[in-house]
Amino acid sequence: MMLQFDIDAVQTPYYVVDERLLIKNLEVLKSVMDRTGCRILLAQKAFSMFSLYPLIGKYLSGATASGLLEAKLGYEKMGKENHIFSPAYTESEFDEILQICDHILFNSFHQWAKFKAKALANGKSCGIRINPECSTQEHGIYDPCSSGSRLGVTLKNFRPDLLDGIKGLHFHTLCEQNSDALVTTLNAVEKNFGEYLYQMDWVNFGGGHHITRQDYDIETLVACINRIKQKYDVEVYLEPGEAVALNTGFLVSTVLDLVDNGIQIAIMDTSAACHMPDVLEMPYRPNIIHSGLAGEKAYTYRLGGPTCLAGDIIGDYSFHTPLKIGDKLIFCDMAHYSMVKNNTFNGMNLPSIAKINSSGQVEIVRTFGYEDFKNRLS
Ligand SMILES: *Cc1c(COP(=O)(O)O)cnc(C)c1O
């Protein structure tokens, strides 16, 4: 990959999102909207770099939130359609939600009954999250359809007698998947809940659609959306998070020290545990520009973070030339599920946040320091 920005413009560690790459993704998503008339929302839990919300809002219909605080951010910084889903709302937060959200999704008929009067009195478009009990993936932790799941109403718990006032059904069952998994899921949704779709104004297909990935089959997605729209006379929503920011960002870091303990170890100024927790949680191995798998190139290193956690290891990587203290390494695809999940364990500072503007210039958006660490403690 050709480096398209000046990596020395900001002190490491920093996340940098390339607006040009983000626009490419947004254009793909916009083309799906244009071809189908569907509405696409940013799922903020994956990517909340709000300095880019005005740009994202030029292409997408709005944002969705996993709770009150994200909903406030979407309201303040994007100001378009503002949806919210939560497994359970509290009385105290619900009044605030009424001020800022237009679509409110409920995870149970209990919750719906509890908040129905307030929601309808305030003119909200309300929906129920359903669970089609159709697993299309292996990763239990990311599968809302696994048995015993708390996410979505199953057919057994569905209450057709309580649908009065409900305008939409929502399902979210996918994670980094192609449109074949959507076809399978829609079949299960229609089999279990199809008869209720006729009385809805909208259906939300959730997130997990890897629409901007190179091999994603967009034609099948478009056909699915158009078919559901026509058959049930509903609006269709999609709410991808990852697909918005996929392959648009990097985490740039510096080699702080080199240690030989039977293997070559490089200690970086970035931490898997603090700055890219999905590397340990998913888990996965991020790509590094100009690197290979362990043993593939001449010099192999285990890359670790500067925290006390023994397992704060990013992975084993090989390089054509030996690493030197001060070398910079660029981790790829670090825009989504990175900034939103980072933390200051060990008193680690948070990476700065930068963007590459449309003329290729690096701009620092935000730096962090002691006050940010201190302010979330007491
Ligand atoms: C996580 C989530 C999304 C976004 O998922 P991605 O995998 O980032 O596309 C959308 N909707 C709901 C309800 C979610 O929980």
Side-chain angles (χ1 to χ4, degrees), residues 259-315:
V259 178
D260 181 348
N261 184 19
I263 53 171
Q264 298 294 319
I265 301 164
I267 297 177
M268 308 300 300
D269 65 357
T270 190
S271 153
C274 298
H275 302 157
M276 42 184 125
D278 268 0
V279 165
L280 303 182
E281 270 180 41
M282 276 287 273
Y284 80 102
R285 181 182 191 276
N287 284 329
I288 297 176
I289 293 176
H290 301 316
S291 79
L293 297 171
E296 191 180 326
K297 301 186 179 196
Y299 303 92
T300 294
Y301 296 84
R302 177 158 298 169
L303 305 183
T307 72
C308 71
L309 176 72
D312 189 358
I313 289 163
I314 302 158

Side-chain angles (χ1 to χ4, degrees), residues 196-264:
Y196 310 112
L197 289 178
Y198 293 102
Q199 45 182 301
M200 297 297 152
D201 291 351
W202 49 266
V203 182
N204 188 323
F205 291 4
H209 316 276
H210 237 188
I211 304 170
T212 51
R213 196 175 74 200
Q214 208 77 70
D215 69 337
Y216 187 88
D217 176 2
I218 289 183
E219 296 309 312
T220 297
L221 172 68
V222 165
C224 283
I225 297 170
N226 284 333
R227 187 176 67 75
I228 295 292
K229 275 183 68 125
Q230 276 155 26
K231 181 167 174 189
Y232 301 101
D233 189 25
V234 285
E235 292 270 13
V236 168
Y237 283 97
L238 305 179
E239 46 182 34
E242 183 158 332
V244 175
L246 189 65
N247 289 315
T248 64
F250 308 90
L251 174 53
V252 184
S253 73
T254 302
V255 176
L256 296 182
D257 199 12
L258 296 163
V259 178
D260 181 348
N261 184 19
I263 53 171
Q264 298 294 319

Side-chain angles (χ1 to χ4, degrees), residues 43 45-46 64 66 85 129 170-172 174-176 204 206-209 239-243 337:
K45 79 159 194 249
T64 188
S66 310
F85 164 79
R129 177 167 176 172
H170 171 286
F171 61 87
H172 168 74
L174 307 181
C175 180
E176 301 187 337
N204 188 323
H209 316 276
E239 46 182 34
E242 183 158 332
Y337 294 107

